[in-house]
Amino acid sequence: MRKRDWPVGGGGVTSCGQVTERASGRAGGGPAAGWARPGCRLCPSGAERSRAEPPGGSGLCAMRPGPEEGADSTPLLQERDPAGPVPVCCSTRYNLAVLAFFGFFLLYALRVNLSVALVDMVESNTSLPTNTTSKVCPDHSAPLDVARSGKGKKYPWDAETQGWILGSFFYGYIITQIPGGYVAGRVGGKLLLGFGILGTAVFTLFTPLAADLGVGFLIAVRALEGLGEGVTFPAMHAMWASWAPPLERSKLLSISYAGAQLGTVVSLPLSGLICFYMNWIYVFYLFGTVGVFWFVLWIWLVSDTPDTHKTISQSEKEYILSSLKNQLSTQKSVPWKPMLKSVPLWAIVVAHFSYNWTFYTLLTLLPTYMKEILRFDAQENGFLSALPYFGCWLCIILSGQIADYLREKRRFSTVCVRRTFSLIGMIGPAVFLVAAGFIGCDYSLAVAFLTVSTTLGGFCTSGYGINHLDIAPSYAGILLGITNTFATIPGMIGPVIAKSLTPNNTVEEWQMVFYIAAAINIFGAFFFTLFASGEVQDWALNGYHRHTN
């Protein structure tokens, strides 16, 4: 534990910010303060911070007082260049965020296109009772004059088989989470993320062939796609540990990860149109080909760290490296034991698992709910299934800006922002999800409630979603691998459980699916609120990585 080096003279550090004149010994600062200087943003770090905030924080949301008042005082930015932060426009770090945005756009397009295509891949006149369509609601769609393509091959898969097909992706996805985070932390995330998306794209191209060969082959191909995608989020987190200045984390990560929601928004209706007018096989050929093209751009334009980037400006490089110099550890080995004992880490695990139960249930089964309960045509189904994720995309972008605004202006501590945004992003969706099960056949209200529910979930990205970087930036990839391993379990068992709970596709059966998802969401929200932290943990600070400017 390092010696605490506070200024003398009875002053203090206000809001983890400027040093008062009493602390410096004279107006404008002076030698008496040691490291004090007017305009400098200085914060205690490491062991000092552990004494600054009691376990669990001081309430849900507290303004940023001085360290002596128990505020979250994680060092956000060290001494800035007199000219201020490097402009956002055309900066290398924001170019990385935009390219990552399109990468995750394709990632989720490749993941969810089967949810829509599967509706057209399955025989609609099957005699199996598990594929019964609910007759509670009348047909909503008006007959269309355009002749529908009937060229797509149909398969006699019952509801249980469909559930296993939709869940098979996650059998591979769960395996590569922690290894992906570990490898990304050792060798960098660029190649890992790039080849992860490339592999997913290539296996997507083989999906029609696998379906022809049999359901076992299709499940295997989807599991292999999951292996590729499993490394992507940990790899991206590991890259942002080196690229994102602390006060820009919410903005940069929300931009890059919002691509996943927009990928869902575009993929669902576009897949519906392709299935309606052409053939479902082209759904997989289109998105798979675009994924290969993105890989070429990623390899050409991206570097693992600012130090290795060929075209980054010197001012931006110094700005990024200086902002992170006291947050990254140089120790070679991973502190597994203290890491796994960390309560803030398990708070993220519980929140991530809880949120994903609702997210994956809707992601994989919303097209089915639209068709079987609300009785929308497949073309309308795609558009309406995408609407909730369009709202979520907007919410992710806006909440990221708001979160960093609140932190940068020192109005709220980091832990306050993470807790508040997680509460909104988990309890809000739970309320509207339950409400959606009680509105019967009111189509517009059902779509509105599901849209609001999914939209509010976007707040979680700036809540627990990037909290890994707050508590251990050096090991953010590994931490995300750990939390995402647990959070993948809902993707594996959620669709299967939901399908088993809805054999007759009645409104009452779907209400039970919504109840379970809402209850899990609320539990996760309160658990995270009680045990989350905004501090860089002591076990993640053994040995500072001091960059040379």
Side-chain angles (χ1 to χ4, degrees), residues 395-473:
C395 185
I396 289 174
I397 296 292
L398 294 176
S399 63
Q401 303 296 314
I402 295 170
D404 276 349
Y405 168 79
L406 294 174
R407 296 169 64 232
E408 188 172 9
K409 299 300 181 181
R410 297 295 193 267
R411 299 191 177 186
F412 296 99
S413 65
T414 298
V415 71
C416 165
V417 172
R418 302 299 181 229
R419 288 171 174 171
T420 302
F421 279 47
S422 295
L423 278 173
I424 297 172
M426 297 178 76
I427 293 181
V431 172
F432 283 96
L433 192 60
V434 171
F438 281 94
I439 46 84
C441 298
D442 190 330
Y443 311 106
S444 58
L445 201 56
V447 173
F449 280 6
L450 289 171
T451 299
V452 173
S453 176
T454 309
T455 296
L456 291 175
F459 278 94
C460 286
T461 299
S462 295
Y464 77 80
I466 59 176
N467 195 221
H468 316 75
L469 283 161
D470 298 324
I471 65 173

Side-chain angles (χ1 to χ4, degrees), residues 133-142 371 373-377 443:
T133 299
S134 172
K135 301 298 182 183
V136 174
C137 299
D139 280 323
H140 175 260
S141 305
K371 178 185 179 184
I373 299 297
L374 300 181
R375 311 285 296 281
F376 282 99
D377 180 86
Y443 311 106

Side-chain angles (χ1 to χ4, degrees), residues 240-274:
W240 281 127
S242 298
W243 275 97
L247 279 179
E248 296 183 16
R249 280 176 183 159
S250 301
K251 297 175 185 174
L252 290 167
L253 271 75
S254 65
I255 291 173
S256 57
Y257 292 144
Q261 305 304 323
L262 193 62
T264 305
V265 169
V266 173
S267 177
L268 288 175
L270 183 57
S271 298
L273 286 171
I274 293 173

Side-chain angles (χ1 to χ4, degrees), residues 355-366:
Y355 175 79
N356 273 19
W357 187 283
T358 300
F359 179 78
Y360 282 136
T361 298
L362 288 180
L363 184 69
T364 55
L365 297 178
L366 191 56

